[in-house]
Amino acid sequence: MKRTGVILIILTAVVLCCSACSANYTGNPNNQSTSCANITMGSGKFAFDNGFIYFTDLSHVYEYDTESKTSVVLDTKDSMISDLYVQDAYVYYNEGGLRRMTKDGKQQKKIFDAENGCTQMFVEDKYAWFLESVEGNLIRKDLASGKEEVILSQVMSYALDDKNVYAVSKDEDVPVFQISDKEKISFAGQELSFSPITVMADDGAAYLAERGTYQVIKYSSEKEEKLPVFSLHYQAAGQKLYYLDANENGSCPLMQYDMETGEQTRIGEAVYDFCILDDKYVCMQCPYETFEKYNLYDISTGTTTLMYDTGEEE
C-alpha cells in the first residue's frame, strides 16, 4: 500500500508539472485588441487593450499608457516577434509559433510551434490563421484540438472579415482572387478586370492592389472602383483609407484618403510600418538614422504623440 501511494504521488506530480509547462489555450473569443489587416498588411507590431498600447521592435515588447503618456519595456527573450494581440492578462505574439507572456513580462509560455513555418498569424475565436510562407499554404489551426488544415495553397495574400476569407493565390503562376465562407471552406474565383497582388477586407468590401501599378481597387458586390491610391500596405477605418505611398521608395509617407470627400492628407513621414487600433489610433514605426521612433496618431484630434524612441536606450 505504501509503495502504491508513493507511485500515485509521483504520477500526480508529473501530471501537475506537465500541466504547468504547457499552456492550454482554446482561442481568442473577444478579438478586440487588433485586426487581421494589422497583421496581413504589415507585421502586426501593435495591439491595444484597456487604454494601453503594446508594440514590438522584434526583440522587446513595449507598453504605452495612453493616459499618462509613459512607456515601459518588457524583455521577451525572443528575437523575431510579430503579430501581437492581447487577451485577459497576456500579450500573445508569433515567434515561429504562438507564444504568450504576462503583461508584466515575468512569465512566458509556448502555445504551439509551427513546424513548416509561420507568418501573418491572426487568432480569432478558436482558430489561428497563418501562412507557412508567402506564396505557401494558408493554414487554419483549431487551437482546442490542435488540428491543422491546409485551406488554400500558393497564397500571396489573405484577409478575413466577419463572414469570409479572401485570398489572392496563384493558379499556374497567375494570381487569382478567391472568396470563401469562413466556416464552410469552399473557395470560389472572382472575375476581375485586373491582376491582383494583395487583399484587405473591411465592412463587406475587399480592397485589392493591382499587380504592377499597385493601384488600390475597391471590390464590392462584384463591382470595381479604382481609388487614387497606390500602395501594398493599406487599411480602412470608417470611410478613410490609410496607406504607405508606393510612389516613394524606402520608408514612405503615411497618407489618409477620405473615400467620401476625396481629400488626401499626409499624416506621417518616413513610416516603415503601421497599424490601426480600435478605429481610434494609427500607430507608426518610423526609422530614424540608427534607431526608431514609435508614434501615435489620434484620428479624432489629428495629433501625433511620440510613444517611444529606441535611441534613448543607447
Side-chain angles (χ1 to χ4, degrees):
M1 291 296 293
K2 288 183 179 179
R3 185 176 181 182
T4 302
V6 170
I7 292 172
L8 286 173
I9 290 170
I10 292 172
L11 288 175
T12 301
V14 170
V15 170
L16 289 174
C17 179
C18 290
S19 297
C21 293
S22 63
N24 296 323
Y25 187 63
T26 57
N28 180 16
N30 296 322
N31 191 33
Q32 297 294 316
S33 68
T34 192
S35 67
C36 183
N38 281 337
I39 289 166
T40 61
M41 279 287 154
S43 301
K45 290 178 180 169
F46 301 87
F48 178 69
D49 181 63
N50 197 30
F52 291 89
I53 292 172
Y54 298 86
F55 56 99
T56 182
D57 62 0
L58 300 184
S59 58
H60 302 87
V61 172
Y62 302 82
E63 180 189 74
Y64 176 76
D65 187 332
T66 58
E67 185 174 337
S68 67
K69 294 181 170 45
T70 56
S71 293
V72 296
V73 186
L74 309 174
D75 186 4
T76 65
K77 300 179 178 62
D78 285 317
S79 58
M80 288 299 292
I81 299 168
S82 62
D83 308 341
L84 294 182
Y85 70 95
V86 183
Q87 181 186 327
D88 301 327
Y90 300 101
V91 179
Y92 291 81
Y93 57 91
N94 177 11
E95 211 267 350
L98 187 59
R99 311 283 185 260
R100 80 179 185 196
M101 59 182 268
T102 51
K103 288 181 179 177
D104 60 9
K106 293 181 179 179
Q107 297 180 39
Q108 299 171 35
K109 281 191 176 182
K110 175 175 69 176
I111 309 297
F112 70 82
D113 282 328
E115 296 181 359
N116 297 318
C118 182
T119 187
Q120 298 182 10
M121 179 190 292
F122 179 61
V123 176
E124 180 183 52
D125 295 328
K126 66 178 182 178
Y127 293 119
W129 305 77
F130 59 92
L131 296 176
E132 291 181 332
S133 64
V134 177
E135 298 191 18
N137 293 327
L138 175 59
I139 304 296
R140 184 175 71 172
K141 182 181 182 72
D142 188 314
L143 291 167
S145 68
K147 178 184 176 182
E148 290 186 6
E149 56 182 322
V150 176
I151 64 169
L152 195 62
S153 60
Q154 292 190 281
V155 176
M156 302 165 66
S157 176
Y158 82 95
L160 304 175
D161 64 14
D162 291 341
K163 293 177 57 179
N164 297 320
V165 189
Y166 305 82
V168 176
S169 63
K170 284 190 172 182
D171 182 8
E172 296 183 354
D173 209 38
V174 176
V176 178
F177 176 44
Q178 302 191 68
I179 302 176
S180 169
D181 181 274
K182 273 201 303 193
E183 292 300 322
K184 300 176 181 178
I185 300 296
S186 180
F187 281 96
Q190 311 295 306
E191 288 191 14
L192 300 174
S193 66
F194 63 97
S195 181
I197 188 170
T198 59
V199 61
M200 184 274 299
D202 181 74
D203 197 24
Y207 296 79
L208 301 115
E210 181 178 24
R211 185 168 65 166
T213 68
Y214 303 153
Q215 182 168 17
V216 177
I217 299 167
K218 182 178 179 180
Y219 179 87
S220 180
S221 301
E222 299 183 349
K223 294 181 181 179
E224 298 176 11
E225 178 187 356
K226 290 190 174 183
L227 305 179
V229 169
F230 297 82
S231 180
L232 291 176
H233 305 282
Y234 49 91
Q235 290 197 51
Q239 289 301 310
K240 294 181 173 61
L241 197 70
Y242 295 84
Y243 66 98
L244 297 181
D245 192 347
N247 289 323
E248 299 197 27
N249 295 324
S251 296
C252 304
L254 179 60
M255 304 293 295
Q256 178 195 80
Y257 170 66
D258 190 314
M259 290 183 279
E260 289 184 328
T261 67
E263 182 181 4
Q264 299 264 15
T265 306
R266 198 176 182 110
I267 66 169
E269 300 295 332
V271 178
Y272 177 74
D273 199 0
F274 76 98
C275 286
I276 297 176
L277 303 178
D278 200 33
D279 282 358
K280 294 180 181 178
Y281 303 113
V282 183
C283 298
M284 296 172 272
Q285 176 190 5
C286 306
Y288 183 75
E289 295 180 351
T290 60
F291 56 93
E292 293 177 331
K293 295 180 179 181
Y294 293 85
N295 292 328
L296 179 67
Y297 176 80
D298 188 311
I299 292 175
S300 62
T301 64
T303 57
T304 300
T305 304
L306 176 67
M307 292 192 292
Y308 199 82
D309 183 342
T310 60
E312 294 174 0
E313 299 175 354
E314 299 177 357

